[in-house]
Amino acid sequence: MPDIIFQSTKHFWPEITLALTFIAAMIFEFATKKRTTGTGILVLLGLAAALVQLPSAPSEPVSIFGGMYAIDPFSTFFKYVIIVTGMVVVLFSFQSQELKKESGHTGEYYCFIAAVTFGMVLMTGSSNLVMIYLSIELVSITSYILAGFSKSLRRSSEAALKYVIFGALSSGIMLYGMSLIFGLTGTLDLSGIRTALASGHAVTTGWSFAALMAAIVLMLAGFGYKVSVVPFHFWTPDVYEGAPITITAFLAVASKAAVFAVMIRFFYVAFFDNMLASTGVYSSFRNVDWSMILAVLSVLTMTLGNFVAIWQDNLKRMLAYSSIAHAGYMLMGVVVMSNFGLSAIMLYFVMYFFMNLGAFYVVMVIADKIGSENIDDYRGFGKRAPIISVGLSIFLISLTGLPPTAGFVGKLFLFSSVMASQFIWLAIVGVLNSVVSLYYYARVLKNMYLREAPDGDESPIVFSKVTSAVVILFIIPNILLCFFYQPVLTFAQRSIAILLPGL
Amino acid sequence: MTFETILFYVLALAGIVSALLVITRRNPMHAALFLIVNFVALAGIYLTLHAQFVAITQVLVYAGAIMVLVLFVIMLLNLQNEQDLFEKRSWRSYSGPILSLLLLALLLRTVAFVSGGSFDRISPESERIGTVANIGQQLFTAFVFPFEMASLLLLAAMVGAVILAKKRFP
Amino acid sequence: MHHYVGLIVLFPLIGLIVNGLFGRHIRSERVVGWIGSLAVGIPFLVAAAILYGMLGSPVEERSNTVTLFTWIAAGSFQVNAAYQVDQLSILMTLIVTGVGFLIHVYSIGYMHGDRGFWRFFTYLNLFIFAMLNLVLADNYVLMFLGWEGVGLCSYLLIGFWYEKKFAGTSITWTGDAANKAFWVNRIGDFAFMLGMFLIFREFGSLTFSTVMDSASSLAPGNSTMFWITLLLFIGATGKSAQIPLFVWLPDAMAGPTPVSALIHAATMVTAGVYMVARNSLLYALAPDTMMIVAVIGALTAIVAASIGLAQNDIKKVLAYSTVSQLGYMFLALGVGAFTAGIFHVMTHAFFKACLFLGSGSVIHAMHEEQDIRKMGGLAPVMPKTYYTFLISSFAIAGFPPLSGFFSKDEILWSAFSQGSVLLWAVGALAALMTAFYMFRMVTLTFLGTPRWAKDKHPHESPPTMTIPLIVLAFLAVTGGFLGIPAALGGGNALHHWLHPVFERALDRLPTAHEYSHMTEYLFMLVSVVIGVSGFWFGRKIYLANPDADDTFAAKAGGVFRTLSRKYYIDEGYMRGIVNPLVATSDRFLSRVVDTALIDGFVNGLAKVTASFSGVLRLVQTGVVQSYASMIVVGLLLVLGLILLG
């Protein structure tokens, strides 16, 4: 046993770095009372240290800690996204006024960012049901805390409370599903489950099969809750609106990425058979029409997200609904159940990272400047703050999925993968939904460029050079990735191929 | 009708009744106390399954620590007027129980008949699995990694709870 | 050498970008003007270098294709941004860039002080860019791009002084003239596109070489070929102002004179001629179309010339003259004398550009006065302008040994020898009219006693304007020597040069009757006599009596009025086509279809979406218990679907 542990730690260094960052940051926070930025920088360095260790991850899948954790290019891809998101959020937080108000314990904020990142990274590699549950819980609990961080704002505490209640409920449901799976297959390990199912151990009688399906649905409820899939999304608008905006940004991008990683791993390693040679599509045991169910969920999610966003006046809440809609789009890729679809999801996450974080950053700096997140207060911004407005415009256009932005490429591949698998109606629904999304994104643009400021104020709103630089830094990849997406796509495709051999 | 069967039915009944009482009592203190009864009943059921460690932990942690915390909070809140807490009888208050029953029915239908519908046999393995010794061994060999990760989870939860709860120092 | 063809197209592009983006801020007119001019001058040098290279290489190697990049690749359909450098295209390139350069330099002086100076040069460069793409393209699509591009530039440049009023037919503003040009061209473009579609359907490709190779296996008289060539020709009538789509050209005189010179005399209007020449093989396969081309060319030549007899605006005379000369070019193409047509393109570019620039010089000197009845006696005041104008007039009238003589004579000879006597007669009559109206104009403008208003002080133009005039006049004199016919002992260098391009077409034409050199000399003599008589009578009548028009009007009122009113063609179009179209569009299409149907549908859709989402958002209640209920409902549904479905 000790040998296994020592062998495993060799590959576990990035995660260990993250855990140490968390602990070190807390100790630092204790030791030096008022130096909150210091803690932030320490966390940033820790995340960076973890990041630089990622490229040396083995390119062949390795299972460590006795089958608990898996290191493979698939999880490494997501780790990149998550850790970079964490670093970016820390950088954003340095500038956030919201957090400066909580001056008493802003240091702990950074510790928790480290903790959440650690949890998310853990999620991407979990290959055992216990680990999946633990990592999801770690992320959930730290998210609850971070969501309620702006204690001076009532809505923040409300957000945290709703999040806790909802999260507890969903965790419970998921845990029940896990227990059923354990009962049916006798093992908690994902590959072990696969073996058990393949040998027909669990699927002997009709009832067992039904129970297995019920268990999977329950687990789906748990995953769906974290990714904001309808009908498990109800916490999302309230929490995203109430939480500090940096946390909203973090949750919207990284949390989704991590859960998609674990969801894909769970479904594909445990439950899906090898690819049907002709269509490149995976078939599940006994051919349950998972694709139809997931497709329906995807459609519901997209539709609800896009349609309800139309009515929103608060930009944060609107972005929350928009992220629900994006979860719907990404779920389409899971529906497809092929290499193409999965690599499309991974590509989409990279694009999503740039456009979503950019949009949230702009909302944050504008909210800090004028104290409002209401769309009506964005009137006249085009003239008064040109760089910021251009940035927001590009991010919103990217979120809609129009060329020549990164969002377009992401959607292009998602829709292509869907159409390649004969789910044409799903692609059509997706495109129609994108059209609807154009409305509410364009409303912001309209306010910024075509409307006068309410009091006729034409004075320029000055943002610091750093702010403008950050915005430009996010604009550039949004445009560039539209043309130079190939490296990312190739990396994603190779990762999928390794994760799911037999391709 | 073995002793174990009778014991099971008694404990199960106690559990269900106490659970129902928890959600229908007006006085939060009463509800909390009934919850303790529920936990103890569950602990008893665990014992019938030879899961000694889980049973003891159930009593210690749930009935002991958690319920004490809950009782503390209820007392601190010091509710004078319980009438304020009452929920109007709307379709919402009726839909809850109905939906739960439906869910129960559905789950029962699938899960209940897995091993041919008979639940009066306990696997002989259970005597070995449930012992403290076995759990301890598993926890430090096969499951040592989740064990350590759980410790980090606890650390985060503790610190977070303190942060959320504390008042600002002047 | 031909690899550098990309540079030819690149420089105007650079010029237009620089002037377009920064021109407004560049203070010095000189800089802007020279940027624009060099952007055309350098390509001329490159083209000359390529020509030199071609002259040095054997005939088989003279035609090359240079591909820049793949433009469209959709399935099996591929179109490249590629240029075909062969004898014909390099000749056209030289004409475009050479004459273009001179006109750019001229514009520096002519547009001096204009508020939109930089805009003018930007548009000019854009035009050159598009025109070069047109003549160098190796496929129909790129050619069409250039075709449309020059149409756009024509619009932009005609309407350059968009705030100015303009007395045209049914037109009051310059903008209207620009619009008219664009719309009439559009009709032609539509036909061109239909032709392209047919070509693609027939041959599966839109690249010239592929199409021509496939076509060489066809027999003449094919009905598809008839339609293709006819449609393409209709496109040409639009761009090159032939009957029935010529009505835009006279009104295009609203634009600045350099524009008239460059676009509406020397280059753009010849695009149609070039296009037909490029498709010579296809036309050779459709003898019926060729006859139509010849007939329309001849008709246009004479009708336009007759109208020109009764015009008083100096530019309008030249405009109708251009239409008429273009008619000659098509007449040549129609009878199978492709080289003759291209030859006339070249010589016409020289002398017509000179004439237009000269008229611009006059207009400038007379402070925007354009009515020749109010001029007279300008020769002593502006000698350089006068002499260059005179030389070019002799050229257009067909006086030997000027260029116009050789090219026009070759056309008339071909009209006779490869066409019919009737065609020749029409052409000859038109030539008589040409000489007459040209010298009427020269006399009324430059000779006799001055009739201008007291406040005008005409003077010679600055060197930036007169030097191009001199160069062009020189070319008008010497340009003809490239095509001295065999009958006169020349080697007809141009014919030999272009022969490989037209070889396949010429092979398929019916063999012409061989005539003796004596017959040819006879016809040449007739041409000379015609030219001289026109000159003689024109000069004599108007020198003696500048108001001779009034006498004509009195004696042959109806005829004269018809001519001066351009046979009422414009009015006919307005009443017959334009007005009904506008009425339908406004009353039916706009109100009924657009507002009620389409807008109603789209707005209705939006309302449905809004109300649907309005209902949907009520789901989000904010109450946690209802959230929980809805989760359970969702779970029930999914579980139910799986287990029971």
Side-chain angles (χ1 to χ4, degrees):
Chain A
M1 199 59 223
D3 314 304
I4 298 182
I5 298 183
F6 284 133
Q7 290 289 62
S8 306
T9 344
K10 253 195 321 198
H11 303 292
F12 197 58
W13 278 112
E15 289 80 353
I16 293 180
T17 318
L18 288 170
L20 284 175
T21 312
F22 170 46
I23 298 175
M26 256 197 306
I27 296 177
F28 184 80
E29 173 68 18
F30 274 134
T32 60
K33 250 307 160 178
K34 293 295 178 192
R35 301 272 303 280
T36 54
T37 345
T39 326
I41 295 183
L42 182 61
V43 167
L44 193 60
L45 288 174
L47 289 174
L51 188 65
V52 300
Q53 293 176 39
L54 281 182
S56 51
S59 49
E60 288 300 316
V62 174
S63 180
I64 56 177
F65 292 117
M68 289 284 162
Y69 197 70
I71 311 252
D72 47 35
F74 176 71
S75 65
T76 313
F77 183 92
F78 282 98
K79 284 178 201 171
Y80 275 115
V81 176
I82 292 166
I83 297 183
V84 175
T85 312
M87 290 172 67
V88 169
V89 166
V90 169
L91 287 169
F92 285 177
S93 312
F94 286 149
Q95 290 193 302
S96 167
Q97 299 282 28
E98 243 178 326
L99 290 174
K100 291 201 168 72
K101 289 199 201 124
E102 313 295 328
S103 55
H105 41 265
T106 323
E108 275 96 355
Y109 169 88
Y110 293 112
C111 304
F112 276 98
I113 301 264
V116 189
T117 317
F118 173 61
M120 290 176 184
V121 165
L122 217 53
M123 270 210 277
T124 63
S126 304
S127 56
N128 185 299
L129 289 180
V130 169
M131 276 315 298
I132 291 179
Y133 180 73
L134 266 176
S135 48
I136 290 184
E137 277 306 296
L138 181 53
V139 171
S140 298
I141 288 181
T142 38
S143 306
Y144 305 154
I145 295 160
L146 285 170
F149 217 79
S150 303
K151 289 202 293 187
S152 51
L153 291 171
R154 221 190 110 200
R155 66 177 189 183
S156 187
S157 309
E158 180 190 338
L161 185 65
K162 287 189 180 163
Y163 202 4
V164 169
I165 297 177
F166 212 86
L169 175 63
S170 305
S171 287
I173 296 177
M174 187 165 76
L175 201 53
Y176 185 60
M178 279 186 192
S179 67
L180 282 179
I181 294 181
F182 177 62
L184 289 169
T185 57
T187 167
L188 290 167
D189 182 52
L190 288 185
S191 10
I193 296 175
R194 182 213 201 99
T195 329
L197 291 174
S199 68
H201 177 83
V203 208
T204 45
T205 69
W207 291 116
S208 300
F209 179 67
L212 182 64
M213 291 302 117
I216 296 179
V217 170
L218 292 173
M219 285 216 60
L220 195 55
F223 290 133
Y225 136 75
K226 275 233 66 66
V227 202
S228 314
V229 167
V230 169
F232 312 111
H233 72 285
F234 293 97
W235 59 278
T236 313
D238 298 327
V239 172
Y240 278 28
E241 189 188 356
I245 194 160
T246 45
I247 297 303
T248 311
F250 195 28
L251 287 178
V253 180
S255 159
K256 283 205 172 55
V259 179
F260 260 101
V262 73
M263 189 161 70
I264 294 173
R265 189 186 290 277
F266 171 72
F267 276 102
Y268 286 74
V269 175
F271 291 104
F272 285 88
D273 211 338
N274 285 320
M275 169 180 81
L276 276 175
S278 52
T279 56
V281 163
Y282 293 90
S283 68
S284 72
F285 295 98
R286 295 281 198 88
N287 291 325
V288 172
D289 202 359
W290 283 111
S291 32
M292 196 43 102
I293 296 164
L294 286 172
V296 169
L297 286 180
S298 164
V299 166
L300 284 173
T301 314
M302 285 193 273
T303 313
L304 188 130
N306 278 312
F307 276 71
V308 182
I310 294 179
W311 286 92
Q312 301 308 317
D313 286 325
N314 181 310
L315 199 51
K316 255 169 104 181
R317 211 174 165 86
M318 187 191 92
L319 285 174
Y321 278 107
S322 122
S323 76
I324 295 180
H326 281 279
Y329 299 136
M330 289 189 244
L331 205 57
M332 278 199 307
V334 181
V335 168
V336 171
M337 301 178 189
S338 69
N339 187 356
F340 193 5
L342 295 178
S343 48
I345 298 179
M346 291 162 80
L347 180 69
Y348 198 78
F349 264 114
V350 176
M351 311 302 179
Y352 188 58
F353 164 78
F354 285 109
M355 48 190 184
N356 221 16
L357 281 178
F360 273 111
Y361 180 69
V362 173
V363 175
M364 179 181 98
V365 295
I366 291 181
D368 283 345
K369 236 346 153 187
I370 64 173
S372 162
E373 292 154 357
N374 199 308
I375 294 184
D376 279 331
D377 294 326
Y378 279 60
R379 279 182 284 175
F381 254 75
K383 279 207 200 101
R384 302 171 70 187
I387 299 184
I388 306 292
S389 305
V390 166
L392 187 58
S393 313
I394 292 184
F395 299 139
L396 291 177
I397 293 176
S398 196
L399 281 167
T400 318
L402 294 171
T405 57
F408 168 68
V409 171
K411 283 218 171 75
L412 179 67
F413 277 98
L414 270 178
F415 290 144
S416 307
S417 68
V418 170
M419 294 199 63
S421 309
Q422 319 308 324
F423 274 97
I424 312 243
W425 62 273
L426 188 58
I428 293 179
V429 171
V431 171
L432 288 176
N433 268 297
S434 296
V435 171
V436 174
S437 76
L438 180 61
Y439 169 75
Y440 57 82
Y441 290 133
R443 212 152 54 102
V444 181
L445 294 183
K446 181 184 83 165
N447 270 354
M448 284 201 297
Y449 286 107
L450 297 178
R451 293 267 177 276
E452 294 294 321
D455 42 1
D457 192 357
E458 294 254 335
S459 60
I461 301 184
V462 177
F463 289 97
S464 72
K465 291 267 183 331
V466 177
T467 311
S468 310
V470 171
V471 171
I472 294 180
L473 213 58
F474 270 90
I475 292 179
I476 295 177
N478 261 300
I479 310 282
L480 275 185
L481 278 175
C482 182
F483 305 103
F484 298 114
Y485 58 87
Q486 198 58 46
V488 181
L489 189 61
T490 321
F491 185 21
Q493 280 166 335
R494 266 192 278 129
S495 319
I496 292 282
I498 296 178
L499 171 72
L500 308 160
L503 247 146
Chain B
M1 264 304 179
T2 61
F3 173 67
E4 275 146 354
T5 324
I6 301 175
L7 193 59
F8 170 73
Y9 279 121
V10 167
L11 287 168
L13 195 64
I16 293 175
V17 167
S18 58
L20 282 170
L21 287 173
V22 168
I23 57 179
T24 52
R25 292 300 96 202
R26 289 187 191 191
N27 190 328
M29 275 306 229
H30 296 171
L33 289 172
F34 276 118
L35 193 53
I36 296 181
V37 172
N38 181 292
F39 287 148
V40 173
L42 280 176
I45 296 181
Y46 293 148
L47 277 176
T48 62
L49 292 170
H50 302 289
Q52 302 122 3
F53 183 68
V54 183
I56 298 294
T57 328
Q58 171 88 348
V59 174
L60 270 179
V61 175
Y62 265 114
I66 294 180
M67 287 318 296
V68 168
L69 206 54
V70 169
L71 284 167
F72 261 118
V73 171
I74 294 176
M75 285 192 288
L76 280 171
L77 282 175
N78 204 11
L79 290 167
Q80 297 294 11
N81 203 347
E82 288 153 11
Q83 292 298 110
D84 295 341
L85 289 178
F86 256 102
E87 197 183 321
K88 285 198 318 283
R89 285 207 187 165
S90 65
W91 66 272
R92 204 184 278 144
S93 58
Y94 287 125
S95 67
I98 296 177
L99 286 173
S100 316
L101 281 173
L102 279 175
L103 188 61
L104 176 68
L106 209 54
L107 285 175
L108 272 180
R109 193 170 189 278
T110 60
V111 174
F113 298 97
V114 170
S115 27
S118 59
F119 289 103
D120 48 8
R121 283 171 290 125
I122 300 177
S123 156
E125 288 286 308
S126 63
E127 294 193 15
R128 184 184 63 82
I129 294 176
T131 60
V132 181
N134 185 47
I135 291 183
Q137 193 199 28
Q138 288 299 310
L139 212 50
F140 284 99
T141 54
F143 288 87
V144 64
F145 182 60
F147 183 58
E148 300 302 329
M149 291 306 117
S151 66
L152 275 168
L153 171 59
L154 288 172
L155 176 63
M158 272 197 295
V159 177
V162 170
I163 291 176
L164 281 181
K166 77 172 186 186
K167 280 198 170 41
R168 236 178 265 155
F169 290 122
Chain C
M1 218 55 247
H2 51 86
H3 304 291
Y4 293 106
V5 68
L7 284 178
I8 295 184
V9 182
L10 183 64
F11 274 99
L13 185 63
I14 295 179
L16 96 93
I17 290 177
V18 170
N19 269 334
L21 289 176
F22 306 115
R24 192 190 307 212
H25 307 291
I26 300 178
R27 291 290 147 216
S28 159
E29 271 182 3
R30 209 159 252 280
V31 171
V32 172
W34 278 101
I35 291 177
S37 306
L38 284 175
V40 182
I42 296 179
F44 175 75
L45 293 172
V46 176
I50 297 181
L51 175 70
Y52 185 68
M54 282 167 87
L55 283 169
S57 51
V59 178
E60 313 80 54
E61 287 175 27
R62 283 185 186 164
S63 173
N64 291 290
T65 310
V66 176
T67 309
L68 290 183
F69 55 89
T70 309
W71 181 18
I72 303 174
S76 56
F77 175 60
Q78 179 159 352
V79 167
N80 291 330
Y83 298 117
Q84 183 172 359
V85 183
D86 69 359
Q87 298 92 325
L88 177 61
S89 60
I90 203 72
L91 178 65
M92 293 297 295
T93 308
L94 285 167
I95 296 174
V96 170
T97 50
V99 176
F101 174 69
L102 292 169
I103 296 179
H104 274 72
V105 174
Y106 178 90
S107 306
I108 301 179
Y110 190 80
M111 300 299 288
H112 168 70
D114 193 296
R115 199 165 55 114
F117 192 85
W118 60 275
R119 201 160 49 95
F120 189 74
F121 278 91
T122 312
Y123 291 158
L124 277 186
N125 276 152
L126 180 61
F127 168 78
I128 298 281
F129 176 69
M131 189 74 201
L132 287 173
N133 269 297
L134 202 164
V135 298
L136 283 169
D138 95 319
N139 58 72
Y140 286 95
V141 185
L142 190 58
M143 180 192 240
F144 190 64
L145 180 78
W147 188 272
E148 292 284 339
V150 297
L152 172 70
C153 292
S154 178
Y155 166 82
L156 289 172
L157 286 163
I158 293 174
F160 186 71
W161 289 315
Y162 47 83
E163 289 153 340
K164 202 163 109 163
K165 272 195 160 67
F166 175 70
T169 338
S170 326
I171 282 176
T172 33
W173 292 96
T174 327
D176 295 331
N179 278 335
K180 185 170 173 181
F182 199 76
W183 295 332
V184 176
N185 261 280
R186 212 77 200 98
I187 302 173
D189 296 345
F190 178 61
F192 189 107
M193 271 199 284
L194 286 180
M196 271 209 299
F197 296 156
L198 274 181
I199 290 178
F200 184 66
R201 198 180 73 143
E202 183 72 17
F203 298 106
S205 162
L206 284 173
T207 316
F208 291 145
S209 43
T210 320
V211 172
M212 298 304 160
D213 286 338
S214 312
S216 21
S217 56
L218 293 176
N222 195 318
S223 79
T224 321
M225 290 278 89
F226 171 72
W227 285 108
I228 291 178
T229 48
L230 185 64
L231 285 168
L232 289 177
F233 176 61
I234 295 177
T237 60
K239 193 64 77 187
S240 300
Q242 298 296 292
I243 292 173
L245 294 175
F246 68 95
V247 292
W248 62 273
L249 191 54
D251 287 318
M253 296 301 118
T257 313
V259 171
S260 309
L262 181 61
I263 300 184
H264 306 122
T267 46
M268 182 181 98
V269 292
T270 57
V273 181
Y274 167 74
M275 187 264 289
V276 174
R278 181 53 83 192
N279 286 292
S280 55
L281 176 57
L282 299 182
Y283 279 91
L285 291 171
D288 294 327
T289 322
M290 285 190 62
M291 183 163 71
I292 295 178
V293 173
V295 168
I296 290 197
L299 266 177
T300 311
I302 197 166
V303 167
S306 63
I307 298 179
L309 289 174
Q311 295 305 309
N312 294 316
D313 183 316
I314 192 173
K315 283 176 74 174
K316 287 255 176 73
V317 179
L318 290 175
Y320 282 104
S321 167
T322 306
V323 175
S324 172
Q325 296 300 307
L326 287 167
Y328 276 109
M329 296 177 213
F330 281 103
L331 172 58
L333 294 174
V335 296
F338 300 110
T339 317
I342 299 294
F343 188 21
H344 202 58
V345 168
M346 187 174 81
T347 60
H348 177 260
F350 297 148
F351 55 68
K352 193 45 78 57
C354 186
L355 285 169
F356 263 111
L357 294 186
S359 74
S361 182
V362 169
I363 293 172
H364 228 326
M366 297 290 290
H367 293 289
E368 316 311 324
E369 177 60 68
Q370 291 183 215
D371 193 329
I372 55 179
R373 293 174 295 191
K374 300 206 181 87
M375 298 182 190
L378 283 173
V381 185
M382 1 181 20
K384 293 202 190 94
T385 310
Y386 171 62
Y387 281 111
T388 53
F389 201 89
L390 190 63
I391 291 174
S392 301
S393 304
F394 280 125
I396 195 175
F399 273 59
L402 300 179
S403 57
F405 164 69
F406 290 108
S407 60
K408 195 188 282 196
D409 186 70
E410 191 175 339
I411 293 177
L412 289 175
W413 173 245
S414 310
F416 173 71
S417 62
Q418 292 173 259
S420 71
V421 177
L422 190 57
L423 284 173
W424 173 85
V426 171
L429 190 56
L432 178 61
M433 293 188 202
T434 306
F436 186 77
Y437 69 64
M438 279 313 298
F439 285 100
R440 164 178 177 263
M441 184 165 72
V442 172
T443 313
L444 283 176
T445 311
F446 291 100
L447 304 178
T449 45
R451 295 184 305 280
W452 60 70
K454 295 287 185 306
D455 53 340
K456 308 256 189 237
H457 307 286
H459 53 87
E460 184 60 272
S461 302
T464 45
M465 286 168 71
T466 53
I467 291 183
L469 285 175
I470 296 173
V471 175
L472 284 168
F474 174 73
L475 286 169
V477 171
T478 58
F481 298 140
L482 278 176
I484 304 180
L488 290 176
N492 204 335
L494 194 65
H495 190 91
H496 283 287
W497 173 251
L498 288 176
H499 185 78
V501 180
F502 299 124
E503 200 169 2
R504 285 193 284 198
L506 292 171
D507 283 340
R508 279 163 183 73
L509 292 175
T511 28
H513 187 103
E514 278 295 323
Y515 292 93
S516 66
H517 283 313
M518 279 314 294
T519 328
E520 208 174 332
Y521 292 143
L522 185 63
F523 277 86
M524 258 185 247
L525 196 56
V526 174
S527 305
V528 176
V529 167
I530 287 175
V532 173
S533 353
F535 158 67
W536 178 253
F537 284 108
R539 187 163 183 275
K540 185 157 183 278
I541 295 176
Y542 287 95
L543 197 52
N545 179 12
D547 294 319
D549 284 336
D550 297 334
T551 330
F552 289 136
K555 283 202 199 146
V559 174
F560 190 78
R561 208 181 16 239
T562 317
L563 286 182
S564 76
R565 285 265 186 238
K566 307 153 228 152
Y567 296 93
Y568 298 103
I569 293 183
D570 279 293
E571 284 83 348
Y573 280 161
M574 278 304 283
R575 245 188 258 171
I577 299 176
V578 177
N579 287 339
L581 210 58
V582 171
T584 319
S585 191
D586 184 45
R587 269 187 244 138
F588 178 61
L589 288 176
S590 171
R591 289 191 211 156
V592 175
V593 176
D594 192 33
T595 314
L597 273 176
I598 298 182
D599 272 351
F601 175 65
V602 173
N603 288 345
L605 205 60
K607 282 204 195 99
V608 168
T609 310
S611 43
F612 176 57
S613 50
V615 168
L616 208 53
R617 78 197 244 243
L618 295 173
V619 159
Q620 191 82 24
T621 56
V623 179
V624 189
Q625 291 94 323
S626 67
Y627 292 173
S629 323
M630 286 189 255
I631 297 183
V632 176
V633 169
L635 266 180
L636 281 172
L637 284 171
V638 179
L639 274 172
L641 274 171
I642 293 193
L643 298 174
L644 307 172

